[in-house]
Every structure is written in structure tokens, then in C-alpha cells.
PDB file of all heavy atoms in Angstrom:
ATOM      1  N   LYS A 160       0.829  -1.207   0.000  1.00  0.00           N
ATOM      2  CA  LYS A 160       0.000   0.000   0.000  1.00  0.00           C
ATOM      3  C   LYS A 160       0.867   1.262   0.000  1.00  0.00           C
ATOM      4  O   LYS A 160       0.577   2.220  -0.706  1.00  0.00           O
ATOM      5  CB  LYS A 160      -0.965  -0.010   1.175  1.00  0.00           C
ATOM      6  CG  LYS A 160      -2.094  -0.997   0.981  1.00  0.00           C
ATOM      7  CD  LYS A 160      -3.108  -0.892   2.095  1.00  0.00           C
ATOM      8  CE  LYS A 160      -4.260  -1.848   1.812  1.00  0.00           C
ATOM      9  NZ  LYS A 160      -5.320  -1.721   2.799  1.00  0.00           N
ATOM     10  N   SER A 161       1.934   1.241   0.779  1.00  0.00           N
ATOM     11  CA  SER A 161       2.842   2.393   0.801  1.00  0.00           C
ATOM     12  C   SER A 161       3.530   2.563  -0.545  1.00  0.00           C
ATOM     13  O   SER A 161       3.683   3.682  -1.043  1.00  0.00           O
ATOM     14  CB  SER A 161       3.887   2.232   1.903  1.00  0.00           C
ATOM     15  OG  SER A 161       3.266   2.202   3.158  1.00  0.00           O
ATOM     16  N   GLY A 162       3.963   1.464  -1.130  1.00  0.00           N
ATOM     17  CA  GLY A 162       4.603   1.515  -2.441  1.00  0.00           C
ATOM     18  C   GLY A 162       3.666   2.041  -3.520  1.00  0.00           C
ATOM     19  O   GLY A 162       4.081   2.787  -4.412  1.00  0.00           O
ATOM     20  N   ALA A 163       2.385   1.673  -3.425  1.00  0.00           N
ATOM     21  CA  ALA A 163       1.409   2.156  -4.407  1.00  0.00           C
ATOM     22  C   ALA A 163       1.155   3.655  -4.246  1.00  0.00           C
ATOM     23  O   ALA A 163       1.006   4.374  -5.241  1.00  0.00           O
ATOM     24  CB  ALA A 163       0.110   1.372  -4.282  1.00  0.00           C
ATOM     25  N   ILE A 164       1.140   4.129  -2.999  1.00  0.00           N
ATOM     26  CA  ILE A 164       1.010   5.583  -2.763  1.00  0.00           C
ATOM     27  C   ILE A 164       2.206   6.305  -3.381  1.00  0.00           C
ATOM     28  O   ILE A 164       2.050   7.295  -4.097  1.00  0.00           O
ATOM     29  CB  ILE A 164       0.905   5.904  -1.250  1.00  0.00           C
ATOM     30  CG1 ILE A 164      -0.437   5.457  -0.687  1.00  0.00           C
ATOM     31  CG2 ILE A 164       1.161   7.378  -0.968  1.00  0.00           C
ATOM     32  CD1 ILE A 164      -1.614   6.346  -1.005  1.00  0.00           C
ATOM     33  N   TYR A 165       3.384   5.810  -3.089  1.00  0.00           N
ATOM     34  CA  TYR A 165       4.615   6.406  -3.626  1.00  0.00           C
ATOM     35  C   TYR A 165       4.571   6.433  -5.151  1.00  0.00           C
ATOM     36  O   TYR A 165       4.851   7.462  -5.775  1.00  0.00           O
ATOM     37  CB  TYR A 165       5.809   5.600  -3.114  1.00  0.00           C
ATOM     38  CG  TYR A 165       7.103   5.890  -3.814  1.00  0.00           C
ATOM     39  CD1 TYR A 165       7.840   7.028  -3.515  1.00  0.00           C
ATOM     40  CD2 TYR A 165       7.609   5.015  -4.776  1.00  0.00           C
ATOM     41  CE1 TYR A 165       9.030   7.292  -4.158  1.00  0.00           C
ATOM     42  CE2 TYR A 165       8.789   5.270  -5.423  1.00  0.00           C
ATOM     43  CZ  TYR A 165       9.501   6.408  -5.114  1.00  0.00           C
ATOM     44  OH  TYR A 165      10.677   6.672  -5.764  1.00  0.00           O
ATOM     45  N   PHE A 166       4.199   5.308  -5.767  1.00  0.00           N
ATOM     46  CA  PHE A 166       4.157   5.238  -7.223  1.00  0.00           C
ATOM     47  C   PHE A 166       3.103   6.196  -7.771  1.00  0.00           C
ATOM     48  O   PHE A 166       3.344   6.898  -8.764  1.00  0.00           O
ATOM     49  CB  PHE A 166       3.885   3.799  -7.680  1.00  0.00           C
ATOM     50  CG  PHE A 166       3.868   3.641  -9.169  1.00  0.00           C
ATOM     51  CD1 PHE A 166       5.008   3.859  -9.922  1.00  0.00           C
ATOM     52  CD2 PHE A 166       2.704   3.284  -9.830  1.00  0.00           C
ATOM     53  CE1 PHE A 166       4.997   3.716 -11.298  1.00  0.00           C
ATOM     54  CE2 PHE A 166       2.676   3.134 -11.198  1.00  0.00           C
ATOM     55  CZ  PHE A 166       3.832   3.351 -11.935  1.00  0.00           C
ATOM     56  N   SER A 167       1.960   6.264  -7.131  1.00  0.00           N
ATOM     57  CA  SER A 167       0.897   7.165  -7.570  1.00  0.00           C
ATOM     58  C   SER A 167       1.343   8.628  -7.523  1.00  0.00           C
ATOM     59  O   SER A 167       1.066   9.399  -8.439  1.00  0.00           O
ATOM     60  CB  SER A 167      -0.339   6.956  -6.696  1.00  0.00           C
ATOM     61  OG  SER A 167      -1.367   7.812  -7.083  1.00  0.00           O
ATOM     62  N   VAL A 168       2.047   8.992  -6.471  1.00  0.00           N
ATOM     63  CA  VAL A 168       2.540  10.370  -6.348  1.00  0.00           C
ATOM     64  C   VAL A 168       3.578  10.668  -7.420  1.00  0.00           C
ATOM     65  O   VAL A 168       3.571  11.745  -8.028  1.00  0.00           O
ATOM     66  CB  VAL A 168       3.108  10.636  -4.938  1.00  0.00           C
ATOM     67  CG1 VAL A 168       3.849  11.961  -4.874  1.00  0.00           C
ATOM     68  CG2 VAL A 168       1.992  10.597  -3.905  1.00  0.00           C
ATOM     69  N   THR A 169       4.463   9.715  -7.705  1.00  0.00           N
ATOM     70  CA  THR A 169       5.472   9.971  -8.747  1.00  0.00           C
ATOM     71  C   THR A 169       4.829  10.089 -10.123  1.00  0.00           C
ATOM     72  O   THR A 169       5.273  10.889 -10.945  1.00  0.00           O
ATOM     73  CB  THR A 169       6.577   8.886  -8.780  1.00  0.00           C
ATOM     74  OG1 THR A 169       5.994   7.622  -9.066  1.00  0.00           O
ATOM     75  CG2 THR A 169       7.355   8.853  -7.492  1.00  0.00           C
ATOM     76  N   VAL A 170       3.764   9.333 -10.373  1.00  0.00           N
ATOM     77  CA  VAL A 170       3.061   9.454 -11.650  1.00  0.00           C
ATOM     78  C   VAL A 170       2.304  10.776 -11.706  1.00  0.00           C
ATOM     79  O   VAL A 170       2.371  11.494 -12.704  1.00  0.00           O
ATOM     80  CB  VAL A 170       2.106   8.253 -11.876  1.00  0.00           C
ATOM     81  CG1 VAL A 170       1.225   8.478 -13.095  1.00  0.00           C
ATOM     82  CG2 VAL A 170       2.897   6.961 -12.039  1.00  0.00           C
ATOM     83  N   LEU A 171       1.596  11.117 -10.635  1.00  0.00           N
ATOM     84  CA  LEU A 171       0.839  12.366 -10.596  1.00  0.00           C
ATOM     85  C   LEU A 171       1.743  13.578 -10.768  1.00  0.00           C
ATOM     86  O   LEU A 171       1.427  14.514 -11.493  1.00  0.00           O
ATOM     87  CB  LEU A 171       0.070  12.471  -9.278  1.00  0.00           C
ATOM     88  CG  LEU A 171      -0.723  13.761  -9.058  1.00  0.00           C
ATOM     89  CD1 LEU A 171      -1.879  13.860 -10.032  1.00  0.00           C
ATOM     90  CD2 LEU A 171      -1.237  13.828  -7.638  1.00  0.00           C
ATOM     91  N   SER A 172       2.886  13.545 -10.129  1.00  0.00           N
ATOM     92  CA  SER A 172       3.797  14.686 -10.190  1.00  0.00           C
ATOM     93  C   SER A 172       4.691  14.658 -11.427  1.00  0.00           C
ATOM     94  O   SER A 172       5.478  15.580 -11.619  1.00  0.00           O
ATOM     95  CB  SER A 172       4.670  14.731  -8.935  1.00  0.00           C
ATOM     96  OG  SER A 172       5.519  13.602  -8.895  1.00  0.00           O
ATOM     97  N   THR A 173       4.593  13.640 -12.217  1.00  0.00           N
ATOM     98  CA  THR A 173       5.390  13.418 -13.440  1.00  0.00           C
ATOM     99  C   THR A 173       6.889  13.306 -13.167  1.00  0.00           C
ATOM    100  O   THR A 173       7.700  13.550 -14.052  1.00  0.00           O
ATOM    101  CB  THR A 173       5.131  14.495 -14.519  1.00  0.00           C
ATOM    102  OG1 THR A 173       5.660  15.751 -14.101  1.00  0.00           O
ATOM    103  CG2 THR A 173       3.666  14.604 -14.875  1.00  0.00           C
ATOM    104  N   VAL A 174       7.247  12.933 -11.958  1.00  0.00           N
ATOM    105  CA  VAL A 174       8.665  12.781 -11.618  1.00  0.00           C
ATOM    106  C   VAL A 174       9.215  11.500 -12.237  1.00  0.00           C
ATOM    107  O   VAL A 174      10.232  11.515 -12.910  1.00  0.00           O
ATOM    108  CB  VAL A 174       8.879  12.787 -10.089  1.00  0.00           C
ATOM    109  CG1 VAL A 174      10.309  12.429  -9.732  1.00  0.00           C
ATOM    110  CG2 VAL A 174       8.512  14.135  -9.523  1.00  0.00           C
ATOM    111  N   GLY A 175       8.547  10.382 -11.988  1.00  0.00           N
ATOM    112  CA  GLY A 175       8.946   9.111 -12.572  1.00  0.00           C
ATOM    113  C   GLY A 175      10.390   8.732 -12.296  1.00  0.00           C
ATOM    114  O   GLY A 175      11.216   8.715 -13.188  1.00  0.00           O
ATOM    115  N   PHE A 176      10.723   8.390 -11.065  1.00  0.00           N
ATOM    116  CA  PHE A 176      12.088   8.046 -10.704  1.00  0.00           C
ATOM    117  C   PHE A 176      12.596   6.805 -11.435  1.00  0.00           C
ATOM    118  O   PHE A 176      13.781   6.634 -11.620  1.00  0.00           O
ATOM    119  CB  PHE A 176      12.209   7.830  -9.190  1.00  0.00           C
ATOM    120  CG  PHE A 176      12.036   9.083  -8.397  1.00  0.00           C
ATOM    121  CD1 PHE A 176      10.999   9.212  -7.490  1.00  0.00           C
ATOM    122  CD2 PHE A 176      12.917  10.146  -8.539  1.00  0.00           C
ATOM    123  CE1 PHE A 176      10.834  10.360  -6.747  1.00  0.00           C
ATOM    124  CE2 PHE A 176      12.766  11.308  -7.802  1.00  0.00           C
ATOM    125  CZ  PHE A 176      11.719  11.415  -6.906  1.00  0.00           C
ATOM    126  N   GLY A 177      11.711   5.904 -11.780  1.00  0.00           N
ATOM    127  CA  GLY A 177      12.117   4.693 -12.482  1.00  0.00           C
ATOM    128  C   GLY A 177      12.385   3.507 -11.587  1.00  0.00           C
ATOM    129  O   GLY A 177      12.733   2.437 -12.067  1.00  0.00           O
ATOM    130  N   ASP A 178      12.243   3.668 -10.273  1.00  0.00           N
ATOM    131  CA  ASP A 178      12.471   2.546  -9.371  1.00  0.00           C
ATOM    132  C   ASP A 178      11.298   1.570  -9.392  1.00  0.00           C
ATOM    133  O   ASP A 178      11.479   0.373  -9.217  1.00  0.00           O
ATOM    134  CB  ASP A 178      12.772   3.019  -7.948  1.00  0.00           C
ATOM    135  CG  ASP A 178      11.742   3.989  -7.413  1.00  0.00           C
ATOM    136  OD1 ASP A 178      10.956   4.540  -8.203  1.00  0.00           O
ATOM    137  OD2 ASP A 178      11.726   4.208  -6.191  1.00  0.00           O
ATOM    138  N   ILE A 179      10.102   2.069  -9.632  1.00  0.00           N
ATOM    139  CA  ILE A 179       8.928   1.215  -9.837  1.00  0.00           C
ATOM    140  C   ILE A 179       8.396   1.564 -11.217  1.00  0.00           C
ATOM    141  O   ILE A 179       8.121   2.735 -11.507  1.00  0.00           O
ATOM    142  CB  ILE A 179       7.838   1.473  -8.775  1.00  0.00           C
ATOM    143  CG1 ILE A 179       8.363   1.206  -7.369  1.00  0.00           C
ATOM    144  CG2 ILE A 179       6.606   0.613  -9.054  1.00  0.00           C
ATOM    145  CD1 ILE A 179       7.405   1.605  -6.260  1.00  0.00           C
ATOM    146  N   VAL A 180       8.263   0.552 -12.048  1.00  0.00           N
ATOM    147  CA  VAL A 180       7.779   0.787 -13.409  1.00  0.00           C
ATOM    148  C   VAL A 180       6.738  -0.276 -13.766  1.00  0.00           C
ATOM    149  O   VAL A 180       6.802  -1.404 -13.282  1.00  0.00           O
ATOM    150  CB  VAL A 180       8.919   0.773 -14.442  1.00  0.00           C
ATOM    151  CG1 VAL A 180       9.883   1.915 -14.211  1.00  0.00           C
ATOM    152  CG2 VAL A 180       9.665  -0.546 -14.421  1.00  0.00           C
ATOM    153  N   PRO A 181       5.792   0.087 -14.621  1.00  0.00           N
ATOM    154  CA  PRO A 181       4.844  -0.919 -15.091  1.00  0.00           C
ATOM    155  C   PRO A 181       5.567  -1.872 -16.048  1.00  0.00           C
ATOM    156  O   PRO A 181       6.341  -1.440 -16.901  1.00  0.00           O
ATOM    157  CB  PRO A 181       3.771  -0.098 -15.808  1.00  0.00           C
ATOM    158  CG  PRO A 181       4.432   1.184 -16.167  1.00  0.00           C
ATOM    159  CD  PRO A 181       5.509   1.411 -15.163  1.00  0.00           C
ATOM    160  N   ARG A 182       5.342  -3.179 -15.893  1.00  0.00           N
ATOM    161  CA  ARG A 182       6.020  -4.178 -16.717  1.00  0.00           C
ATOM    162  C   ARG A 182       5.110  -4.812 -17.766  1.00  0.00           C
ATOM    163  O   ARG A 182       5.559  -5.156 -18.832  1.00  0.00           O
ATOM    164  CB  ARG A 182       6.618  -5.286 -15.842  1.00  0.00           C
ATOM    165  CG  ARG A 182       7.752  -4.827 -14.975  1.00  0.00           C
ATOM    166  CD  ARG A 182       9.028  -4.788 -15.756  1.00  0.00           C
ATOM    167  NE  ARG A 182      10.132  -4.520 -14.853  1.00  0.00           N
ATOM    168  CZ  ARG A 182      11.164  -3.789 -15.182  1.00  0.00           C
ATOM    169  NH1 ARG A 182      11.267  -3.261 -16.367  1.00  0.00           N
ATOM    170  NH2 ARG A 182      12.133  -3.580 -14.313  1.00  0.00           N
ATOM    171  N   SER A 183       3.845  -4.981 -17.425  1.00  0.00           N
ATOM    172  CA  SER A 183       2.934  -5.614 -18.379  1.00  0.00           C
ATOM    173  C   SER A 183       2.285  -4.535 -19.246  1.00  0.00           C
ATOM    174  O   SER A 183       2.228  -3.355 -18.875  1.00  0.00           O
ATOM    175  CB  SER A 183       1.866  -6.413 -17.639  1.00  0.00           C
ATOM    176  OG  SER A 183       0.991  -5.542 -16.949  1.00  0.00           O
ATOM    177  N   ASP A 184       1.791  -4.957 -20.400  1.00  0.00           N
ATOM    178  CA  ASP A 184       1.094  -4.012 -21.269  1.00  0.00           C
ATOM    179  C   ASP A 184      -0.128  -3.427 -20.570  1.00  0.00           C
ATOM    180  O   ASP A 184      -0.408  -2.237 -20.686  1.00  0.00           O
ATOM    181  CB  ASP A 184       0.676  -4.695 -22.571  1.00  0.00           C
ATOM    182  CG  ASP A 184       1.856  -4.945 -23.504  1.00  0.00           C
ATOM    183  OD1 ASP A 184       2.905  -4.280 -23.326  1.00  0.00           O
ATOM    184  OD2 ASP A 184       1.728  -5.791 -24.400  1.00  0.00           O
ATOM    185  N   PHE A 185      -0.840  -4.271 -19.827  1.00  0.00           N
ATOM    186  CA  PHE A 185      -2.016  -3.807 -19.098  1.00  0.00           C
ATOM    187  C   PHE A 185      -1.631  -2.720 -18.099  1.00  0.00           C
ATOM    188  O   PHE A 185      -2.280  -1.657 -18.032  1.00  0.00           O
ATOM    189  CB  PHE A 185      -2.707  -4.979 -18.388  1.00  0.00           C
ATOM    190  CG  PHE A 185      -3.883  -4.569 -17.568  1.00  0.00           C
ATOM    191  CD1 PHE A 185      -5.041  -4.084 -18.167  1.00  0.00           C
ATOM    192  CD2 PHE A 185      -3.847  -4.649 -16.178  1.00  0.00           C
ATOM    193  CE1 PHE A 185      -6.139  -3.694 -17.405  1.00  0.00           C
ATOM    194  CE2 PHE A 185      -4.933  -4.264 -15.416  1.00  0.00           C
ATOM    195  CZ  PHE A 185      -6.079  -3.782 -16.024  1.00  0.00           C
ATOM    196  N   ALA A 186      -0.598  -2.950 -17.326  1.00  0.00           N
ATOM    197  CA  ALA A 186      -0.159  -1.959 -16.337  1.00  0.00           C
ATOM    198  C   ALA A 186       0.308  -0.685 -17.026  1.00  0.00           C
ATOM    199  O   ALA A 186       0.027   0.423 -16.545  1.00  0.00           O
ATOM    200  CB  ALA A 186       0.953  -2.530 -15.459  1.00  0.00           C
ATOM    201  N   ARG A 187       1.004  -0.802 -18.139  1.00  0.00           N
ATOM    202  CA  ARG A 187       1.451   0.391 -18.872  1.00  0.00           C
ATOM    203  C   ARG A 187       0.254   1.195 -19.374  1.00  0.00           C
ATOM    204  O   ARG A 187       0.284   2.430 -19.353  1.00  0.00           O
ATOM    205  CB  ARG A 187       2.345  -0.026 -20.034  1.00  0.00           C
ATOM    206  CG  ARG A 187       3.702  -0.497 -19.592  1.00  0.00           C
ATOM    207  CD  ARG A 187       4.578  -0.883 -20.772  1.00  0.00           C
ATOM    208  NE  ARG A 187       5.860  -1.366 -20.295  1.00  0.00           N
ATOM    209  CZ  ARG A 187       6.402  -2.511 -20.653  1.00  0.00           C
ATOM    210  NH1 ARG A 187       5.791  -3.301 -21.534  1.00  0.00           N
ATOM    211  NH2 ARG A 187       7.568  -2.870 -20.160  1.00  0.00           N
ATOM    212  N   LEU A 188      -0.779   0.491 -19.822  1.00  0.00           N
ATOM    213  CA  LEU A 188      -1.983   1.192 -20.276  1.00  0.00           C
ATOM    214  C   LEU A 188      -2.679   1.911 -19.119  1.00  0.00           C
ATOM    215  O   LEU A 188      -3.118   3.053 -19.270  1.00  0.00           O
ATOM    216  CB  LEU A 188      -2.950   0.217 -20.950  1.00  0.00           C
ATOM    217  CG  LEU A 188      -2.527  -0.291 -22.321  1.00  0.00           C
ATOM    218  CD1 LEU A 188      -3.466  -1.385 -22.799  1.00  0.00           C
ATOM    219  CD2 LEU A 188      -2.469   0.854 -23.320  1.00  0.00           C
ATOM    220  N   VAL A 189      -2.771   1.247 -17.978  1.00  0.00           N
ATOM    221  CA  VAL A 189      -3.422   1.864 -16.814  1.00  0.00           C
ATOM    222  C   VAL A 189      -2.623   3.081 -16.349  1.00  0.00           C
ATOM    223  O   VAL A 189      -3.193   4.143 -16.066  1.00  0.00           O
ATOM    224  CB  VAL A 189      -3.608   0.836 -15.673  1.00  0.00           C
ATOM    225  CG1 VAL A 189      -4.091   1.512 -14.393  1.00  0.00           C
ATOM    226  CG2 VAL A 189      -4.579  -0.254 -16.088  1.00  0.00           C
ATOM    227  N   VAL A 190      -1.314   2.954 -16.278  1.00  0.00           N
ATOM    228  CA  VAL A 190      -0.474   4.088 -15.848  1.00  0.00           C
ATOM    229  C   VAL A 190      -0.545   5.219 -16.872  1.00  0.00           C
ATOM    230  O   VAL A 190      -0.648   6.393 -16.500  1.00  0.00           O
ATOM    231  CB  VAL A 190       0.978   3.625 -15.604  1.00  0.00           C
ATOM    232  CG1 VAL A 190       1.888   4.816 -15.361  1.00  0.00           C
ATOM    233  CG2 VAL A 190       1.042   2.664 -14.430  1.00  0.00           C
ATOM    234  N   SER A 191      -0.522   4.884 -18.150  1.00  0.00           N
ATOM    235  CA  SER A 191      -0.655   5.916 -19.191  1.00  0.00           C
ATOM    236  C   SER A 191      -1.992   6.617 -19.088  1.00  0.00           C
ATOM    237  O   SER A 191      -2.075   7.849 -19.230  1.00  0.00           O
ATOM    238  CB  SER A 191      -0.514   5.292 -20.585  1.00  0.00           C
ATOM    239  OG  SER A 191       0.775   4.772 -20.765  1.00  0.00           O
ATOM    240  N   ALA A 192      -3.031   5.834 -18.834  1.00  0.00           N
ATOM    241  CA  ALA A 192      -4.358   6.433 -18.658  1.00  0.00           C
ATOM    242  C   ALA A 192      -4.365   7.370 -17.455  1.00  0.00           C
ATOM    243  O   ALA A 192      -4.958   8.455 -17.513  1.00  0.00           O
ATOM    244  CB  ALA A 192      -5.410   5.341 -18.501  1.00  0.00           C
TER     245      ALA A 192
END
């Protein structure tokens, strides 16, 4: 849950550190959305 909060904040803020990345096509689509 903490990791998902962290990832959500990095996506929202457009920082994208790269330590957590979507690996599947489905996850990439959800994150892109």
C-alpha cells in the first residue's frame, strides 16, 4: 500500500524516478491512462 502511494505520487507529479515501473502491457496502459 505504501509503495502504491509512492508510485501514484510519482506518476501524478510526473517525476517518474524509475524505481517502480509498469512491466505488463495492461499496467502500462493503466499508468498511461
Side-chain angles (χ1 to χ4, degrees):
K160 287 186 177 184
S161 297
I164 289 283
Y165 167 78
F166 182 65
S167 179
V168 169
T169 61
V170 172
L171 177 67
S172 65
T173 69
V174 172
F176 292 118
D178 52 344
I179 300 173
V180 295
R182 292 278 188 216
S183 69
D184 286 341
F185 177 68
R187 287 181 182 128
L188 288 172
V189 172
V190 172
S191 295

